[in-house]
Amino acid sequence: DMLSCQTTLTMTYGLPFLFAENPLQCDCRIKPFALWLRSARLQKPSDALCAVPPGLANAAIAEVDVSRLDCPG
């Protein structure tokens, strides 16, 4: 079954989370979430969008190459 991101997180954590309303900081700290999005069977993983860094702005986190999710320093 395909589940929506909101449904999956509501069932797992008890709280709804709307990706479209929560732009993401796409750096090394989000790698586990990005990998989970790829493996989960979700209807609209493309709703989870990067806000920063500028090079990834508006990119769907589920489609970003995880090697690009790095932290400066």
Side-chain angles (χ1 to χ4, degrees), residues 41-58:
R41 298 183 58 171
L42 305 176
Q43 288 177 352
K44 297 176 110 180
S46 60
D47 284 352
L49 299 177
C50 298
V52 290
L56 294 176
N58 296 314

Side-chain angles (χ1 to χ4, degrees), residues 1-4 8 40-45:
D1 280 333
M2 297 287 277
L3 299 173
S4 71
T8 300
R41 298 183 58 171
L42 305 176
Q43 288 177 352
K44 297 176 110 180

